Amino acid sequence: MAIATTSPVTGEVLRRFDELTPDELEDKLARAAAAAASYRLTSPEERAGWLQHAAERLEKEIESVSRMITTEMGKTFRAAEEEVVKCVRGLRFYATEGPAFLRDLSGDSGRVGAKQTFVTYQPIGPVLAVMPWNLPLWQAMRFAAPALMAGNVGLLKHASNVPQCALYLEELFRDAGFPDDVFQTLLISAGRVEQVLRDPRVAAATLTGSEPAGRSVATIAGNEIKKVVLELGGSDPFIVMPSTNLDRATDVAVKARCLNNGQSCINGKRFFVHQDIGDAFIEMFVTKMDALVVGDPMDEGTDVGPLATESGRRDVESYVDDAVSKGATVLLGGERPPGPGWFYPPTVLTGITPEMNMYHEEVFGPVAQVWTVPSLEEALREANGHPYGLGSNLWSEDQDERELFVRDVQSGMAFINGNTTSYPEIPFGGVKRSGYGRELSDLGMREFMNAKTVWVGQDA
């Protein structure tokens, strides 16, 4: 895949970028290793100051950066602004809380026969981040901010269709005052990730992307005995029970399915509705999905822009066509609109069965699958039958139902009466084939640190 900015609105290639030559890549790796040796000696307070400077600059450039995001991957300008604001929040969170996360953790010295014992958290060196295009700034930022606060060095291999976002991040951290080469962007193809990950100067990796990509990186990292964090696919369940406010639940259901043009791992994708409110939910949900405006993502009135890539739209069409050919019912949408660009309409399907590909996989576009179920237990059984386990969502005012959901849903995150999202303050990650490890919060920062045990004996 060429490294280029291609408009999802028109399909026109707007700008091409040269891939790094072998010598250029070697130079970047050498500089990353050299930077890691000195950057680890900087103080948490210095790093926090640089993160604050990055937040200040990014906040001043929200409009231009948001336009860049929308141009490269097609999300609405409003959604791009929200993404940039979240990045500012993430930078400030780690600048404020990061020093406390790095404090030594004292142990019970007497129980282990020591004068003193503690755990000290130390950086491990250059970390490779393989990032996707759907949240081109936030996905990278939730790696970069904690990694830089921890004293690690970042190497970003971003998706090939968002090179301007990738290069902007390197510029942002450099201009914020971070030492040279502490954060570098690698404009390379996916086929060269293995070379970088196997390089002995690279300490670990984090990947957000597809399950096949995760399998590949995990295999290489395992062979090299290197730590890796994986955030892979999601086909999140959205469960609605009779005790909830149906109008509010359907409002959020529409947002959950179509946010980011339906291209997010934590979008609600499978909707399980109690049979007592099934007809009412479906009528309200379809009406509200139908009211969404599909169009130019730069227009203020647009709710859903184009899908990011032509191949992505083909994949969505394939899932829908396969389901329809095997008996699914289309309540809304289901056909690409005429004209240029990679648009696909909000779509609602019922009658999804295990014979259909979308039953088992992730549909990365504004396509909702709806089931009616007789009970929460049945909803959980269906929800947990999927190979992914990233986020999950319950709408209920019943405390017993909430407790059952939290106890039994197989997911890394469980949201009740609110849309599944990510915050710097709380851990983010999944189970099963959605990956392992955690991003964000103190846990995300410590994923790529050496928790070194220190034991000091009694004086002689």
Side-chain angles (χ1 to χ4, degrees):
M1 182 177 182
I3 300 175
T5 299
T6 302
S7 170
V9 176
T10 66
E12 175 189 4
V13 176
L14 303 177
R15 189 175 173 188
R16 297 182 185 276
F17 294 80
D18 292 331
E19 185 171 351
L20 293 177
T21 66
D23 286 345
E24 289 171 335
L25 178 58
E26 166 57 30
D27 179 62
K28 281 183 171 285
L29 293 174
R31 287 192 279 130
S38 58
Y39 184 61
R40 65 183 296 272
L41 302 177
T42 59
S43 70
E45 290 71 27
E46 286 178 299
R47 300 170 204 159
W50 294 323
L51 287 176
Q52 289 283 16
H53 292 157
E56 291 165 6
R57 172 177 169 175
L58 183 56
E59 192 168 43
K60 293 176 182 176
E61 299 176 343
I62 287 177
E63 182 175 352
S64 61
V65 174
S66 299
R67 288 189 176 278
M68 178 176 63
I69 291 172
T70 297
T71 298
E72 290 209 300
M73 61 73 58
K75 72 171 62 184
T76 65
F77 180 73
R78 183 173 64 252
E81 285 185 312
E82 292 171 355
E83 179 178 344
V84 179
V85 169
K86 180 179 280 193
C87 289
V88 173
R89 176 178 175 173
L91 286 164
R92 288 191 169 133
F93 171 76
Y94 281 102
T96 302
E97 305 297 333
F101 296 158
L102 294 174
R103 290 175 187 157
D104 295 342
L105 180 64
S106 297
D108 188 338
S109 303
R111 296 187 68 173
V112 294
K115 179 180 180 181
Q116 181 186 23
T117 183
F118 59 94
V119 175
T120 186
Y121 295 95
Q122 298 180 336
I124 60 174
V127 180
L128 171 66
V130 182
M131 294 288 109
W133 46 259
N134 59 327
L135 291 155
L137 235 63
W138 174 238
Q139 297 276 184
M141 190 64 73
R142 69 192 198 197
F143 147 74
L148 295 177
M149 186 64 231
N152 289 316
V153 165
L155 291 166
L156 172 63
K157 189 285 177 216
H158 219 322
S160 295
N161 59 325
V162 290
Q164 292 185 62
C165 291
L167 291 169
Y168 173 79
L169 285 165
E170 179 178 316
E171 176 186 311
L172 174 69
F173 291 121
R174 182 181 64 244
D175 291 352
F178 282 92
D180 290 344
D181 307 319
V182 162
F183 188 94
Q184 297 183 78
T185 286
L186 307 180
L187 292 184
I188 58 174
S189 64
R192 298 171 73 184
V193 168
E194 178 172 359
Q195 173 193 348
V196 176
L197 184 51
R198 289 192 185 278
D199 191 290
R201 293 166 292 191
V202 174
T206 179
L207 176 139
T208 297
S210 68
E211 183 183 341
R215 287 180 181 275
S216 175
V217 166
T219 298
I220 297 165
N223 184 260
E224 296 292 333
I225 320 295
K226 292 182 180 181
K227 177 72 174 290
V228 63
V229 169
L230 301 177
E231 194 269 278
L232 308 179
S235 190
D236 288 5
F238 191 107
I239 301 172
V240 185
M241 300 302 290
S243 62
T244 195
N245 180 314
L246 200 55
D247 186 50
R248 181 164 172 253
T250 50
D251 279 347
V252 177
V254 171
K255 181 179 181 180
R257 183 60 290 237
C258 294
L259 187 68
N260 211 47
N261 304 344
Q263 301 165 120
S264 171
C265 294
I266 55 170
N267 279 134
K269 300 183 178 75
R270 297 178 297 140
F271 296 81
F272 300 99
V273 186
H274 193 280
Q275 61 190 15
D276 290 352
I277 55 169
D279 291 343
F281 175 91
I282 289 172
E283 181 180 357
M284 294 175 71
F285 184 52
V286 170
T287 298
K288 292 176 180 180
M289 288 279 280
D290 192 34
L292 296 175
V293 176
V294 179
D296 186 338
M298 290 292 187
D299 289 348
E300 192 173 318
T302 294
D303 298 304
V304 180
L307 299 188
T309 65
E310 186 175 18
S311 62
R313 183 172 69 171
R314 283 198 302 267
D315 289 344
V316 171
E317 288 179 315
S318 176
Y319 281 121
V320 173
D321 292 346
D322 170 75
V324 171
S325 72
K326 295 172 182 175
T329 299
V330 179
L331 302 183
L332 179 71
E335 294 184 3
R336 72 162 70 176
W342 301 318
F343 295 91
Y344 197 83
T347 296
V348 181
L349 300 176
T350 59
I352 306 300
T353 64
E355 294 75 30
M356 303 170 188
N357 292 332
M358 69 166 58
Y359 184 93
H360 307 280
E361 300 176 26
E362 177 181 26
V363 182
F364 221 55
V367 177
Q369 308 167 50
V370 183
W371 288 263
T372 55
V373 293
S375 65
L376 176 57
E377 288 81 0
E378 178 63 16
L380 287 167
R381 188 186 71 80
E382 289 285 350
N384 292 338
H386 201 278
Y388 291 139
L390 188 55
S392 58
N393 207 282
L394 172 70
W395 288 80
S396 170
E397 299 301 326
D398 185 292
Q399 185 60 29
D400 290 339
E401 289 176 346
R402 294 178 180 185
E403 291 176 1
L404 177 65
F405 172 73
V406 170
R407 187 191 72 185
D408 288 352
V409 71
Q410 296 173 7
S411 64
M413 299 170 286
F415 280 67
I416 299 172
N417 292 351
N419 194 28
T420 305
T421 187
S422 57
Y423 297 97
E425 295 86 352
I426 57 178
F428 184 97
V431 295
K432 301 196 292 187
R433 292 188 181 179
S434 289
Y436 47 77
R438 290 294 179 267
E439 297 176 299
L440 302 176
S441 77
D442 59 324
L443 299 184
M445 195 168 79
R446 289 172 179 155
E447 286 281 6
F448 296 116
M449 301 196 77
N450 175 19
K452 181 182 290 184
T453 298
V454 179
W455 185 97
V456 181
Q458 301 289 346
D459 293 337

